[in-house]
């Protein structure tokens, strides 16, 4: 049987051992733009790949010269590099296994902001309009982040420089406005301020696609709309694919359509 004094000493040793933090390693580096200029205020987040959680890291923002130094326990991480709010640089990420002190330098690519307002025919801003930027030359949609309008109908999207885009303004599902496509928008190195995008009111057209002779729904069927009078097809029709149950819903302006 242990004496009371020995029990107290053992308990103290256990508590002391528990208070020792897990071994941590220093991760430091320099975050720069494409010209080698340090970027201030870049936030680094470390996602533990074993749990999917962002761990707490001290001093994980770059200083005025773009330098940072923080500590993390050993493990596998996805490191997120997030520019300061309003800065024209793309966020990025990198997967790293940390098992010793390591230097992680990184370069963030610069983009150009495209901004403006989306309104209805009465000048009221439209919330939740999704903007898709298509490369005019290739038709590719890079999928830029932050491309929805706010409560006032305002948007500001960071896109690649020195490209020409076709911009599709696509109202949110359930919004009875007709999408609008603006083609051939050149983007250089200075911010582009777009004129108001005015979305006309329209009508919902809905339906269901099933396999012939059955009640089995067809998912992912593409819906196209052609103006019967002019023979012109709408180039990009918002939400024009059937869902898992074969249902679809688009918004068209008044008229006769194929």
């Amino acid at each position: 049987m242990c004496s009371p004094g020995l029990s107290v000493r053992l308990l103290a040793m256990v508590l002391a051992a528990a208070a020792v933090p897990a071994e941590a390693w220093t991760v430091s580096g320099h975050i720069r733009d494409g010209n080698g200029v340090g970027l201030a205020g870049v936030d680094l987040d470390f996602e533990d790949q074993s749990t999917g959680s962002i761990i707490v890291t001290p001093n994980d923002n770059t200083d005025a010269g773009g330098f940072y130094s923080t500590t993390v326990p050993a493990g596998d991480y996805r490191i997120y590099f997030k520019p300061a709010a309003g800065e024209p640089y793309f966020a990025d990420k990198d997967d790293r296994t940390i098992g010793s002190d390591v230097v992680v330098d990184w370069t963030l690519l610069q983009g150009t902001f495209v901004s403006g307002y989306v309104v209805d025919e009465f000048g009221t801003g439209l919330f939740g309009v999704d903007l898709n930027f298509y490369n005019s030359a290739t038709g590719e949609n890079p999928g830029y982040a932050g491309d929805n309008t706010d409560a006032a109908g305002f948007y500001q999207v960071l896109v690649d420089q020195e490209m020409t885009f076709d911009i599709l303004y696509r109202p949110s599902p359930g919004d009875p406005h007709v999408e609008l496509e603006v083609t051939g928008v050149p983007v250089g190195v200075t911010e582009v301020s777009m004129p108001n995008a005015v979305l006309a009111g329209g009508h919902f057209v809905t339906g269901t696609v099933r396999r012939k002779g059955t009640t089995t729904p067809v998912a992912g069927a593409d819906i196209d709309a052609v103006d019967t009078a002019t023979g012109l097809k709408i180039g990009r029709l918002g939400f024009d694919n059937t869902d898992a149950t074969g249902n679809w819903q688009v918004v068209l302006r008044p008229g006769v359509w194929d």
Side-chain angles (χ1 to χ4, degrees), residues 7-236:
S7 297
V8 171
R9 288 196 298 273
L10 289 173
L11 178 60
M13 293 172 63
V14 170
L15 292 176
V20 175
E23 186 174 27
W25 301 102
T26 298
V27 182
S28 60
H30 193 199
I31 311 300
R32 295 162 288 195
D33 66 11
N35 297 315
V37 178
L39 298 176
V42 177
D43 178 46
L44 282 78
D45 287 334
F46 290 76
E47 180 185 72
D48 188 332
Q49 296 290 70
S50 65
T51 65
S53 299
I54 302 295
I55 68 170
V56 177
T57 48
N59 304 314
D60 60 357
N61 286 63
T62 57
D63 63 18
F67 294 95
Y68 72 93
S69 180
T70 187
T71 55
V72 300
D76 295 322
Y77 295 96
R78 175 160 293 167
I79 308 173
Y80 293 93
F81 305 92
K82 300 178 180 179
E87 290 296 317
Y89 298 95
F90 290 103
D92 207 352
K93 61 182 180 291
D94 180 47
D95 291 340
R96 293 277 176 148
T97 297
I98 307 297
S100 61
D101 293 342
V102 62
V103 174
V104 180
D105 295 330
W106 208 257
T107 299
L108 296 184
L109 298 179
Q110 186 169 358
T112 295
F113 284 116
V114 176
S115 61
Y117 285 88
V118 182
V119 300
D120 64 14
E121 293 166 299
F122 305 101
T124 302
L126 295 176
F127 170 72
V129 175
D130 177 47
L131 280 74
N132 287 334
F133 288 76
Y134 296 91
N135 184 322
S136 296
T138 66
E140 178 188 6
N141 177 7
Y144 297 117
D147 60 351
N148 287 60
T149 58
D150 64 15
F154 178 73
Y155 63 89
Q156 185 181 57
V157 186
L158 186 66
V159 305
D160 288 296
Q161 297 182 338
E162 306 298 348
M163 290 181 62
T164 300
F165 293 97
D166 300 334
I167 306 175
L168 178 66
Y169 297 87
R170 187 175 66 168
S172 58
D175 184 337
H177 289 90
V178 180
E179 72 274 0
L180 172 70
E181 186 173 22
V182 178
T183 60
V185 178
V187 175
V189 297
T190 57
E191 182 170 344
V192 177
S193 181
M194 296 289 292
N196 285 356
V198 181
L199 305 191
H203 299 291
F204 290 116
V205 182
T206 63
T208 303
V209 180
R210 298 186 178 91
R211 286 179 173 79
K212 187 174 182 180
T214 73
T215 59
T216 305
V218 177
D222 179 57
I223 308 301
D224 291 331
V226 178
D227 188 315
T228 302
T230 65
L232 297 177
K233 172 186 171 183
I234 295 178
R236 293 187 173 98

